[in-house]
């Protein structure tokens, strides 16, 4: 995957995770939702920014965000079988595959 595609992917995942955290807070007043969503979104956004400016560790930051998101959402998706954890699991898996491939090809 080329650099512009990686940065767009990272920015889109940043918007989705941060937006999801904000929506979770607005719907249920869940402080952990907004903190987790915005934190993971910030990692994705910082990774996208670093990829865009050809700075080191951009891919690694986006990969880290995917691993953190997957680590929290995949067990909940398996246990609860609800739409939001399943969607977050799909997003984290997509990010882990995308940024994992980019990381291994750049190493």
């Amino acid at each position: 995957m080329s650099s512009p595609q990686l940065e767009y992917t990272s920015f889109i995942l940043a918007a989705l995770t941060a937006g999801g955290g904000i929506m979770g807070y607005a719907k249920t007043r869940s402080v952990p939702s907004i903190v987790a969503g915005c934190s993971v979104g910030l990692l994705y956004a910082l990774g996208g920014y670093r990829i865009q400016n050809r700075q080191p560790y951009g891919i690694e930051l986006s990969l880290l965000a995917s691993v953190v998101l997957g680590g929290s959402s995949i067990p909940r998706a398996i246990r609860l079988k609800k739409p939001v954890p399943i969607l977050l699991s799909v997003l984290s898996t997509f990010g882990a595959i995308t940024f994992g491939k980019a990381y291994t090809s750049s190493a």
Side-chain angles (χ1 to χ4, degrees):
M1 203 177 251
S2 67
S3 182
Q5 289 174 328
L6 287 173
E7 70 187 62
Y8 295 145
T9 300
S10 197
F11 288 137
I12 289 168
L13 289 172
L16 288 172
T17 54
I22 292 167
M23 284 179 31
Y25 177 77
K27 185 176 177 183
T28 63
R29 298 289 180 222
S30 170
V31 174
S33 289
I34 195 167
V35 170
C38 289
S39 298
V40 171
L42 181 66
L43 281 174
Y44 276 126
L46 185 58
Y49 175 79
R50 293 186 73 86
I51 293 167
Q52 182 180 43
N53 291 308
R54 304 197 193 296
Q55 296 175 342
Y57 303 114
I59 293 170
E60 291 86 345
L61 280 170
S62 293
L63 181 58
L64 173 66
S66 297
V67 170
V68 168
L69 182 60
S72 67
S73 65
I74 291 172
R76 281 188 301 138
I78 292 169
R79 187 176 72 247
L80 301 175
K81 296 178 179 41
K82 291 192 174 183
V84 172
I86 291 171
L87 178 63
L88 290 173
S89 299
V90 169
L91 288 176
S92 70
T93 303
F94 170 74
I97 291 170
T98 301
F99 297 111
K101 284 183 180 178
Y103 177 75
T104 56
S105 69
S106 68

Coordinates of all heavy atoms in Angstrom, one line a residue:
M1 N 0.9 -1.2 0.0 CA 0.0 0.0 0.0 C 0.9 1.2 0.0 O 1.9 1.3 0.7 CB -0.9 0.0 1.2 CG -2.1 0.8 1.1 SD -3.2 0.6 2.6 CE -4.5 -0.4 1.9
S2 N 0.5 2.2 -0.8 CA 1.4 3.4 -0.9 C 1.1 4.3 0.3 O 0.2 4.2 1.1 CB 1.0 4.2 -2.1 OG -0.3 4.7 -2.1
S3 N 2.0 5.3 0.5 CA 2.0 6.2 1.6 C 0.7 7.0 1.7 O 0.1 7.1 2.8 CB 3.2 7.1 1.6 OG 3.2 8.0 2.7
P4 N 0.2 7.6 0.6 CA -1.1 8.3 0.7 C -2.2 7.4 1.2 O -3.1 7.9 2.0 CB -1.3 8.9 -0.7 CG 0.0 8.9 -1.3 CD 0.8 7.8 -0.7
Q5 N -2.3 6.2 0.7 CA -3.3 5.3 1.1 C -3.2 5.0 2.6 O -4.2 4.9 3.3 CB -3.3 4.0 0.3 CG -3.7 4.2 -1.1 CD -3.5 2.9 -2.0 OE1 -2.6 2.1 -1.7 NE2 -4.4 2.8 -2.9
L6 N -2.0 4.8 3.1 CA -1.8 4.5 4.5 C -2.2 5.7 5.4 O -2.9 5.6 6.4 CB -0.4 4.2 4.8 CG 0.1 2.8 4.3 CD1 1.6 2.7 4.5 CD2 -0.6 1.7 5.0
E7 N -1.9 6.9 4.9 CA -2.3 8.1 5.7 C -3.8 8.3 5.7 O -4.4 8.6 6.8 CB -1.5 9.4 5.3 CG -1.9 9.9 4.0 CD -1.1 11.0 3.5 OE1 0.1 10.8 3.3 OE2 -1.6 12.1 3.3
Y8 N -4.4 8.1 4.6 CA -5.9 8.2 4.5 C -6.5 7.2 5.4 O -7.5 7.5 6.1 CB -6.4 8.1 3.1 CG -6.0 9.2 2.2 CD1 -5.7 9.0 0.8 CD2 -5.8 10.5 2.6 CE1 -5.3 10.0 0.0 CE2 -5.4 11.5 1.8 CZ -5.1 11.3 0.5 OH -4.7 12.3 -0.4
T9 N -6.0 6.0 5.3 CA -6.6 4.9 6.2 C -6.5 5.3 7.6 O -7.4 5.1 8.4 CB -5.9 3.6 5.9 OG1 -6.0 3.2 4.5 CG2 -6.4 2.4 6.7
S10 N -5.3 5.8 8.0 CA -5.1 6.2 9.4 C -6.0 7.3 9.8 O -6.6 7.3 10.9 CB -3.6 6.6 9.6 OG -3.3 6.5 11.0
F11 N -6.2 8.3 9.0 CA -7.1 9.4 9.3 C -8.5 9.0 9.4 O -9.3 9.4 10.2 CB -6.9 10.6 8.3 CG -5.6 11.3 8.5 CD1 -4.9 11.7 7.3 CD2 -5.1 11.7 9.7 CE1 -3.7 12.4 7.5 CE2 -3.9 12.4 9.8 CZ -3.2 12.7 8.7
I12 N -8.9 8.1 8.5 CA -10.3 7.6 8.5 C -10.6 6.8 9.8 O -11.6 7.0 10.4 CB -10.6 6.7 7.2 CG1 -10.7 7.7 6.0 CG2 -11.9 6.0 7.4 CD1 -10.7 7.0 4.7
L13 N -9.6 5.9 10.2 CA -9.8 5.2 11.4 C -9.8 6.1 12.6 O -10.5 5.8 13.6 CB -8.7 4.1 11.5 CG -8.9 2.9 10.5 CD1 -7.6 2.0 10.6 CD2 -10.1 2.1 10.8
A14 N -9.0 7.2 12.5 CA -9.0 8.1 13.6 C -10.4 8.8 13.8 O -10.9 8.9 14.9 CB -7.9 9.2 13.4
A15 N -11.0 9.2 12.7 CA -12.3 9.8 12.7 C -13.3 8.8 13.2 O -14.2 9.2 14.0 CB -12.6 10.4 11.3
L16 N -13.3 7.6 12.7 CA -14.3 6.6 13.2 C -14.2 6.3 14.6 O -15.2 6.2 15.3 CB -14.1 5.3 12.3 CG -14.6 5.4 10.9 CD1 -14.2 4.1 10.1 CD2 -16.1 5.7 10.8
T17 N -13.0 6.1 15.1 CA -12.8 5.7 16.6 C -13.1 6.9 17.5 O -13.9 6.7 18.5 CB -11.4 5.1 16.9 OG1 -10.4 6.1 16.4 CG2 -11.3 3.8 16.2
A18 N -12.6 8.1 17.1 CA -12.9 9.2 18.0 C -14.4 9.6 17.9 O -15.1 9.9 18.9 CB -12.1 10.4 17.6
G19 N -15.0 9.6 16.7 CA -16.4 9.8 16.6 C -17.3 8.8 17.3 O -18.3 9.2 17.9
G20 N -16.9 7.5 17.2 CA -17.6 6.5 18.0 C -17.5 6.7 19.5 O -18.5 6.5 20.2
G21 N -16.4 7.1 20.0 CA -16.2 7.4 21.4 C -17.1 8.6 21.8 O -17.8 8.5 22.9
I22 N -17.2 9.6 21.0 CA -18.0 10.8 21.3 C -19.5 10.4 21.2 O -20.3 10.8 22.1 CB -17.7 11.9 20.3 CG1 -16.3 12.4 20.6 CG2 -18.7 13.0 20.4 CD1 -15.7 13.4 19.6
M23 N -19.9 9.6 20.2 CA -21.3 9.1 20.2 C -21.6 8.2 21.3 O -22.7 8.3 21.9 CB -21.5 8.4 18.8 CG -21.6 9.3 17.7 SD -21.8 8.5 16.1 CE -22.8 7.1 16.4
G24 N -20.7 7.4 21.7 CA -20.9 6.5 22.9 C -21.2 7.3 24.2 O -22.0 7.0 25.0
Y25 N -20.4 8.4 24.3 CA -20.6 9.3 25.5 C -21.9 10.0 25.4 O -22.7 10.1 26.4 CB -19.5 10.3 25.6 CG -19.6 11.3 26.7 CD1 -19.4 10.9 28.0 CD2 -20.1 12.6 26.5 CE1 -19.6 11.8 29.1 CE2 -20.3 13.4 27.5 CZ -20.1 13.0 28.8 OH -20.3 13.9 29.8
A26 N -22.3 10.5 24.2 CA -23.5 11.3 24.0 C -24.7 10.4 24.3 O -25.7 10.8 24.8 CB -23.6 11.8 22.6
K27 N -24.6 9.1 23.9 CA -25.8 8.2 24.0 C -25.9 7.7 25.5 O -27.0 7.6 26.0 CB -25.6 7.0 23.1 CG -26.7 6.1 23.0 CD -26.5 5.0 22.0 CE -27.6 4.0 22.0 NZ -27.4 2.9 21.0
T28 N -24.8 7.3 26.1 CA -24.9 6.6 27.4 C -24.2 7.4 28.5 O -24.2 6.9 29.6 CB -24.4 5.2 27.3 OG1 -23.0 5.3 27.0 CG2 -25.1 4.4 26.3
R29 N -23.6 8.5 28.2 CA -22.8 9.3 29.2 C -21.6 8.4 29.8 O -21.2 8.5 30.9 CB -23.6 9.8 30.4 CG -24.7 10.8 30.0 CD -24.0 12.1 29.6 NE -25.1 13.0 29.2 CZ -24.9 13.8 28.2 NH1 -23.9 13.8 27.4 NH2 -25.9 14.7 27.9
S30 N -21.1 7.6 28.9 CA -20.0 6.7 29.3 C -18.7 7.4 29.1 O -18.2 7.6 27.9 CB -20.0 5.4 28.4 OG -18.9 4.6 28.6
V31 N -18.0 7.7 30.2 CA -16.7 8.4 30.2 C -15.7 7.5 29.6 O -14.8 7.9 28.8 CB -16.3 8.9 31.6 CG1 -14.9 9.5 31.6 CG2 -17.3 10.0 32.0
P32 N -15.6 6.2 29.9 CA -14.6 5.3 29.3 C -14.8 5.3 27.7 O -13.7 5.2 27.1 CB -14.9 3.9 29.9 CG -15.6 4.2 31.2 CD -16.4 5.5 31.0
S33 N -15.9 5.4 27.2 CA -16.1 5.4 25.8 C -15.4 6.6 25.1 O -14.7 6.5 24.1 CB -17.6 5.5 25.4 OG -18.2 4.2 25.7
I34 N -15.6 7.8 25.7 CA -15.0 9.0 25.1 C -13.5 9.0 25.3 O -12.8 9.4 24.4 CB -15.7 10.3 25.6 CG1 -15.3 11.5 24.7 CG2 -15.3 10.6 27.1 CD1 -16.1 12.7 24.9
V35 N -13.0 8.5 26.4 CA -11.6 8.5 26.7 C -10.9 7.5 25.8 O -9.9 7.8 25.1 CB -11.3 8.2 28.2 CG1 -9.8 7.9 28.4 CG2 -11.8 9.3 29.1
A36 N -11.5 6.3 25.7 CA -10.8 5.3 24.9 C -10.9 5.6 23.4 O -9.9 5.5 22.7 CB -11.5 3.9 25.1
G37 N -12.1 6.1 22.9 CA -12.3 6.4 21.5 C -11.4 7.6 21.1 O -10.7 7.5 20.1
C38 N -11.3 8.6 21.9 CA -10.5 9.7 21.6 C -9.0 9.4 21.7 O -8.2 9.9 20.9 CB -10.8 11.0 22.4 SG -12.4 11.6 22.0
S39 N -8.6 8.6 22.6 CA -7.2 8.2 22.8 C -6.7 7.3 21.6 O -5.7 7.6 21.0 CB -7.0 7.4 24.1 OG -7.3 8.2 25.2
V40 N -7.5 6.4 21.2 CA -7.2 5.5 20.0 C -7.2 6.4 18.8 O -6.4 6.3 17.9 CB -8.1 4.3 20.0 CG1 -7.9 3.6 18.6 CG2 -7.8 3.4 21.1
G41 N -8.2 7.2 18.7 CA -8.3 8.2 17.5 C -7.1 9.1 17.4 O -6.6 9.3 16.3
L42 N -6.6 9.5 18.6 CA -5.4 10.4 18.6 C -4.2 9.6 18.1 O -3.4 10.1 17.3 CB -5.2 10.9 20.0 CG -4.0 11.9 20.1 CD1 -4.2 13.1 19.3 CD2 -3.8 12.2 21.6
L43 N -4.1 8.3 18.5 CA -2.9 7.5 18.1 C -3.0 7.3 16.5 O -2.0 7.5 15.8 CB -2.9 6.2 18.7 CG -2.4 6.1 20.2 CD1 -2.6 4.7 20.7 CD2 -0.9 6.4 20.2
Y44 N -4.2 7.0 16.0 CA -4.3 6.9 14.6 C -4.0 8.2 13.9 O -3.3 8.2 12.8 CB -5.8 6.5 14.2 CG -6.0 5.0 14.3 CD1 -7.1 4.5 15.0 CD2 -5.3 4.1 13.5 CE1 -7.4 3.1 15.0 CE2 -5.5 2.7 13.6 CZ -6.6 2.3 14.3 OH -6.9 0.9 14.4
A45 N -4.5 9.3 14.4 CA -4.3 10.6 13.7 C -2.8 11.0 13.8 O -2.3 11.5 12.8 CB -5.1 11.7 14.4
L46 N -2.2 10.7 14.9 CA -0.7 11.0 15.0 C 0.1 10.1 14.0 O 1.0 10.6 13.3 CB -0.2 10.8 16.4 CG 1.2 11.2 16.7 CD1 1.5 12.7 16.3 CD2 1.5 10.9 18.2
G47 N -0.3 8.9 13.9 CA 0.3 8.0 13.0 C 0.1 8.5 11.5 O 1.0 8.5 10.7
G48 N -1.1 8.9 11.2 CA -1.4 9.4 9.8 C -0.6 10.7 9.6 O -0.1 10.9 8.5
Y49 N -0.5 11.5 10.5 CA 0.3 12.8 10.4 C 1.8 12.5 10.1 O 2.4 13.1 9.3 CB 0.1 13.6 11.6 CG 1.0 14.9 11.6 CD1 0.6 16.0 10.9 CD2 2.2 14.9 12.3 CE1 1.4 17.1 10.9 CE2 3.0 16.1 12.3 CZ 2.6 17.2 11.6 OH 3.4 18.3 11.6
R50 N 2.3 11.5 10.9 CA 3.7 11.2 10.7 C 4.0 10.5 9.4 O 5.0 10.7 8.8 CB 4.2 10.3 11.9 CG 4.2 11.1 13.2 CD 4.8 10.4 14.4 NE 6.2 10.3 14.2 CZ 7.1 11.2 14.7 NH1 6.7 12.3 15.2 NH2 8.4 11.0 14.5
I51 N 3.0 9.7 8.9 CA 3.1 9.0 7.6 C 3.1 10.1 6.5 O 3.9 10.1 5.6 CB 2.0 8.0 7.4 CG1 2.2 6.8 8.3 CG2 2.0 7.5 5.9 CD1 1.0 5.9 8.4
Q52 N 2.2 11.0 6.7 CA 2.0 12.1 5.7 C 3.3 12.9 5.5 O 3.6 13.3 4.4 CB 0.8 13.0 6.1 CG 0.5 14.1 5.2 CD -0.7 14.9 5.7 OE1 -0.7 15.3 6.9 NE2 -1.6 15.3 4.8
N53 N 3.9 13.2 6.7 CA 5.1 14.1 6.6 C 6.4 13.3 6.6 O 7.5 13.8 6.8 CB 5.1 15.0 7.9 CG 4.0 16.0 7.8 OD1 3.9 16.7 6.8 ND2 3.2 16.0 8.8
R54 N 6.3 12.0 6.3 CA 7.4 11.1 6.1 C 8.4 11.1 7.3 O 9.6 11.0 7.2 CB 8.2 11.4 4.9 CG 7.4 11.4 3.6 CD 8.2 11.3 2.3 NE 7.5 11.5 1.1 CZ 6.5 10.8 0.6 NH1 6.1 9.8 1.3 NH2 5.9 11.1 -0.5
Q55 N 7.7 11.1 8.5 CA 8.5 11.1 9.8 C 8.5 9.6 10.2 O 7.6 8.9 9.9 CB 7.8 12.0 10.8 CG 7.9 13.5 10.5 CD 7.2 14.3 11.5 OE1 6.3 13.8 12.2 NE2 7.4 15.6 11.4
P56 N 9.5 9.3 11.1 CA 9.5 7.9 11.5 C 8.4 7.6 12.5 O 7.8 8.5 13.1 CB 10.9 7.8 12.3 CG 11.2 9.2 12.6 CD 10.6 10.1 11.6
Y57 N 8.1 6.3 12.6 CA 7.2 5.7 13.5 C 5.7 6.0 13.3 O 4.8 5.8 14.1 CB 7.5 6.1 15.0 CG 8.9 5.6 15.4 CD1 9.9 6.6 15.7 CD2 9.2 4.3 15.4 CE1 11.1 6.2 16.0 CE2 10.5 3.9 15.7 CZ 11.5 4.9 16.0 OH 12.7 4.5 16.3
G58 N 5.3 6.5 12.1 CA 3.9 6.7 11.7 C 3.2 5.4 11.6 O 2.1 5.2 12.2
I59 N 3.7 4.4 10.8 CA 3.1 3.1 10.7 C 3.0 2.4 12.0 O 2.0 1.8 12.3 CB 3.9 2.3 9.6 CG1 3.7 3.0 8.2 CG2 3.4 0.9 9.6 CD1 4.6 2.4 7.2
E60 N 4.1 2.5 12.8 CA 4.1 1.9 14.1 C 3.0 2.4 15.0 O 2.4 1.6 15.8 CB 5.5 2.0 14.7 CG 6.6 1.2 14.0 CD 7.2 1.9 12.9 OE1 6.7 3.0 12.4 OE2 8.3 1.5 12.4
L61 N 2.8 3.7 15.0 CA 1.8 4.3 15.9 C 0.4 3.8 15.4 O -0.5 3.5 16.3 CB 1.8 5.8 15.8 CG 2.9 6.5 16.7 CD1 3.0 7.9 16.4 CD2 2.5 6.3 18.1
S62 N 0.1 3.8 14.1 CA -1.2 3.3 13.7 C -1.3 1.8 14.0 O -2.4 1.4 14.3 CB -1.3 3.5 12.2 OG -1.4 4.9 11.9
L63 N -0.3 1.0 13.9 CA -0.3 -0.4 14.2 C -0.6 -0.5 15.7 O -1.4 -1.4 16.1 CB 1.0 -1.1 13.8 CG 1.1 -2.6 14.1 CD1 -0.1 -3.3 13.4 CD2 2.4 -3.1 13.6
L64 N 0.0 0.3 16.5 CA -0.2 0.2 18.0 C -1.7 0.6 18.3 O -2.3 -0.1 19.1 CB 0.7 1.2 18.7 CG 0.5 1.4 20.2 CD1 0.8 0.1 21.0 CD2 1.3 2.6 20.7
A65 N -2.2 1.6 17.6 CA -3.6 1.9 17.8 C -4.5 0.7 17.5 O -5.5 0.4 18.2 CB -4.0 3.1 17.0
S66 N -4.2 0.0 16.4 CA -5.0 -1.2 16.0 C -4.9 -2.3 17.1 O -5.9 -2.9 17.4 CB -4.5 -1.7 14.7 OG -4.8 -0.7 13.7
V67 N -3.7 -2.5 17.6 CA -3.5 -3.5 18.6 C -4.3 -3.2 19.9 O -4.9 -4.0 20.5 CB -2.0 -3.8 18.9 CG1 -1.8 -4.7 20.1 CG2 -1.4 -4.4 17.6
V68 N -4.2 -1.9 20.3 CA -4.9 -1.5 21.5 C -6.4 -1.6 21.3 O -7.1 -2.1 22.2 CB -4.5 0.0 21.9 CG1 -5.4 0.6 22.9 CG2 -3.0 0.1 22.3
L69 N -6.9 -1.2 20.2 CA -8.3 -1.3 19.9 C -8.8 -2.7 19.9 O -9.8 -3.1 20.5 CB -8.7 -0.6 18.6 CG -10.1 -0.5 18.2 CD1 -11.0 0.2 19.2 CD2 -10.3 0.1 16.8
G70 N -8.0 -3.6 19.2 CA -8.3 -5.0 19.1 C -8.3 -5.7 20.5 O -9.1 -6.5 20.8
G71 N -7.3 -5.3 21.3 CA -7.1 -5.9 22.6 C -8.3 -5.6 23.5 O -8.6 -6.4 24.4
S72 N -8.9 -4.5 23.3 CA -10.1 -4.2 24.2 C -11.4 -4.6 23.5 O -12.4 -5.0 24.2 CB -10.2 -2.7 24.5 OG -10.4 -2.0 23.3
S73 N -11.5 -4.6 22.2 CA -12.8 -4.9 21.6 C -13.1 -6.3 21.2 O -14.2 -6.8 21.3 CB -13.0 -4.0 20.3 OG -12.1 -4.3 19.3
I74 N -12.0 -7.1 20.8 CA -12.2 -8.5 20.4 C -12.8 -9.3 21.5 O -13.7 -10.1 21.3 CB -11.0 -9.0 19.7 CG1 -10.7 -8.3 18.4 CG2 -11.1 -10.5 19.5 CD1 -9.4 -8.6 17.7
P75 N -12.2 -9.3 22.7 CA -12.8 -10.1 23.8 C -14.2 -9.7 24.1 O -15.1 -10.6 24.4 CB -11.9 -9.8 25.0 CG -10.6 -9.4 24.4 CD -10.9 -8.7 23.2
R76 N -14.5 -8.4 24.1 CA -15.9 -8.0 24.3 C -16.9 -8.5 23.2 O -18.0 -8.8 23.5 CB -16.0 -6.5 24.4 CG -15.6 -6.0 25.8 CD -15.9 -4.5 26.0 NE -15.2 -3.7 25.0 CZ -15.7 -2.7 24.3 NH1 -16.9 -2.3 24.6 NH2 -15.1 -2.0 23.4
A77 N -16.4 -8.5 22.0 CA -17.2 -8.9 20.9 C -17.5 -10.4 21.0 O -18.6 -10.8 20.7 CB -16.5 -8.7 19.5
I78 N -16.5 -11.2 21.4 CA -16.7 -12.6 21.6 C -17.7 -12.9 22.7 O -18.6 -13.7 22.6 CB -15.4 -13.3 21.8 CG1 -14.5 -13.3 20.6 CG2 -15.6 -14.8 22.3 CD1 -13.1 -13.7 20.8
R79 N -17.5 -12.1 23.8 CA -18.3 -12.3 25.0 C -19.8 -11.8 24.9 O -20.7 -12.5 25.2 CB -17.7 -11.7 26.2 CG -18.3 -12.0 27.6 CD -17.6 -11.4 28.7 NE -17.8 -9.9 28.8 CZ -16.8 -9.0 28.6 NH1 -15.6 -9.4 28.4 NH2 -17.0 -7.7 28.7
L80 N -19.9 -10.6 24.3 CA -21.2 -10.0 24.3 C -22.0 -10.2 23.0 O -23.2 -10.1 23.0 CB -21.1 -8.5 24.5 CG -20.4 -8.0 25.9 CD1 -20.3 -6.5 25.9 CD2 -21.3 -8.5 27.0
K81 N -21.3 -10.4 21.9 CA -21.9 -10.5 20.6 C -22.9 -9.4 20.3 O -24.0 -9.6 19.7 CB -22.7 -11.9 20.5 CG -21.7 -13.1 20.6 CD -22.5 -14.4 20.5 CE -21.6 -15.6 20.6 NZ -20.5 -15.6 21.5
K82 N -22.4 -8.2 20.6 CA -23.2 -7.0 20.2 C -22.6 -6.2 19.1 O -21.4 -6.4 18.8 CB -23.3 -6.0 21.5 CG -24.1 -6.6 22.6 CD -24.4 -5.6 23.6 CE -25.4 -6.2 24.7 NZ -25.8 -5.2 25.7
P83 N -23.4 -5.4 18.4 CA -22.9 -4.8 17.1 C -21.6 -3.8 17.3 O -20.7 -3.9 16.5 CB -24.1 -4.0 16.6 CG -25.2 -4.5 17.3 CD -24.8 -5.1 18.6
V84 N -21.6 -3.0 18.3 CA -20.5 -2.1 18.5 C -19.2 -2.8 18.7 O -18.2 -2.5 18.0 CB -20.8 -1.0 19.6 CG1 -19.6 -0.1 19.9 CG2 -22.0 -0.2 19.2
P85 N -19.1 -3.7 19.7 CA -17.8 -4.4 19.8 C -17.4 -5.2 18.6 O -16.2 -5.2 18.3 CB -18.0 -5.3 21.0 CG -19.1 -4.7 21.8 CD -20.0 -4.1 20.8
I86 N -18.4 -5.7 17.9 CA -18.0 -6.5 16.7 C -17.5 -5.5 15.6 O -16.5 -5.8 14.9 CB -19.3 -7.2 16.1 CG1 -19.6 -8.4 17.1 CG2 -19.1 -7.8 14.7 CD1 -20.9 -9.1 16.8
L87 N -18.1 -4.3 15.4 CA -17.6 -3.3 14.5 C -16.2 -2.9 14.8 O -15.4 -2.7 14.0 CB -18.6 -2.2 14.4 CG -18.2 -1.0 13.4 CD1 -18.1 -1.5 12.0 CD2 -19.1 0.1 13.5
L88 N -16.0 -2.6 16.1 CA -14.7 -2.2 16.6 C -13.6 -3.3 16.3 O -12.5 -3.0 15.9 CB -14.7 -1.8 18.0 CG -15.5 -0.5 18.4 CD1 -15.6 -0.4 19.9 CD2 -14.8 0.7 17.8
S89 N -14.0 -4.5 16.5 CA -13.1 -5.6 16.2 C -12.8 -5.7 14.7 O -11.6 -6.0 14.4 CB -13.8 -6.9 16.7 OG -14.0 -6.9 18.0
V90 N -13.7 -5.5 13.9 CA -13.5 -5.5 12.4 C -12.5 -4.3 12.1 O -11.6 -4.5 11.3 CB -14.8 -5.4 11.7 CG1 -14.6 -5.2 10.2 CG2 -15.6 -6.7 11.9
L91 N -12.8 -3.2 12.6 CA -11.9 -2.0 12.3 C -10.5 -2.3 12.8 O -9.5 -2.0 12.1 CB -12.5 -0.7 13.0 CG -13.7 -0.1 12.4 CD1 -14.2 1.1 13.2 CD2 -13.5 0.3 11.0
S92 N -10.4 -2.8 14.0 CA -9.0 -3.1 14.5 C -8.3 -4.2 13.7 O -7.1 -4.1 13.5 CB -9.1 -3.5 16.0 OG -9.6 -4.8 16.2
T93 N -9.0 -5.2 13.3 CA -8.4 -6.2 12.5 C -8.0 -5.7 11.1 O -6.9 -6.0 10.7 CB -9.4 -7.4 12.3 OG1 -9.8 -7.9 13.6 CG2 -8.8 -8.5 11.5
F94 N -8.8 -4.9 10.5 CA -8.5 -4.2 9.3 C -7.2 -3.4 9.4 O -6.3 -3.4 8.6 CB -9.6 -3.4 8.8 CG -9.2 -2.5 7.6 CD1 -9.1 -3.0 6.3 CD2 -9.0 -1.1 7.8 CE1 -8.7 -2.2 5.3 CE2 -8.7 -0.3 6.7 CZ -8.5 -0.9 5.4
G95 N -7.2 -2.6 10.5 CA -6.0 -1.7 10.8 C -4.7 -2.6 11.0 O -3.7 -2.2 10.5
A96 N -4.9 -3.6 11.8 CA -3.7 -4.5 12.1 C -3.2 -5.1 10.9 O -2.0 -5.2 10.7 CB -4.1 -5.5 13.2
I97 N -4.0 -5.6 10.0 CA -3.6 -6.2 8.8 C -2.9 -5.2 7.8 O -1.8 -5.4 7.3 CB -4.8 -6.9 8.0 CG1 -5.2 -8.2 8.9 CG2 -4.4 -7.3 6.6 CD1 -6.5 -8.8 8.4
T98 N -3.6 -4.0 7.7 CA -3.1 -3.0 6.8 C -1.7 -2.5 7.3 O -0.8 -2.4 6.5 CB -4.1 -1.8 6.7 OG1 -5.3 -2.3 6.2 CG2 -3.6 -0.7 5.8
F99 N -1.7 -2.1 8.5 CA -0.4 -1.5 9.0 C 0.6 -2.5 9.3 O 1.8 -2.3 9.3 CB -0.7 -0.6 10.2 CG -1.6 0.6 9.9 CD1 -2.9 0.7 10.3 CD2 -1.1 1.6 9.0 CE1 -3.7 1.8 10.0 CE2 -1.9 2.7 8.6 CZ -3.2 2.8 9.1
G100 N 0.2 -3.7 9.6 CA 1.1 -4.8 9.8 C 1.9 -5.2 8.5 O 3.1 -5.4 8.5
K101 N 1.1 -5.2 7.4 CA 1.7 -5.5 6.1 C 2.7 -4.4 5.7 O 3.8 -4.6 5.2 CB 0.7 -5.6 5.0 CG 0.0 -6.9 5.0 CD -1.0 -7.0 3.9 CE -1.8 -8.3 3.8 NZ -2.8 -8.4 2.7
A102 N 2.3 -3.1 6.0 CA 3.1 -2.0 5.7 C 4.4 -2.0 6.5 O 5.5 -1.7 6.0 CB 2.4 -0.7 5.9
Y103 N 4.3 -2.4 7.8 CA 5.4 -2.5 8.7 C 6.4 -3.5 8.2 O 7.6 -3.3 8.2 CB 5.0 -2.7 10.1 CG 6.1 -2.9 11.1 CD1 6.8 -1.8 11.5 CD2 6.5 -4.1 11.5 CE1 7.9 -1.9 12.4 CE2 7.6 -4.3 12.4 CZ 8.3 -3.2 12.8 OH 9.3 -3.3 13.7
T104 N 5.9 -4.7 7.9 CA 6.8 -5.8 7.4 C 7.4 -5.5 6.1 O 8.6 -5.9 5.9 CB 6.1 -7.2 7.4 OG1 4.9 -7.1 6.5 CG2 5.6 -7.6 8.7
S105 N 6.7 -4.8 5.2 CA 7.4 -4.5 3.9 C 8.4 -3.4 4.0 O 9.3 -3.3 3.2 CB 6.3 -4.1 2.9 OG 5.7 -2.9 3.2
S106 N 8.2 -2.5 5.1 CA 9.2 -1.4 5.2 C 10.4 -1.8 6.0 O 11.5 -1.2 6.0 CB 8.6 -0.2 5.9 OG 8.2 -0.5 7.2
A107 N 10.3 -2.9 6.8 CA 11.4 -3.4 7.6 C 12.5 -4.1 6.8 O 12.5 -4.5 5.8 CB 10.9 -4.3 8.7

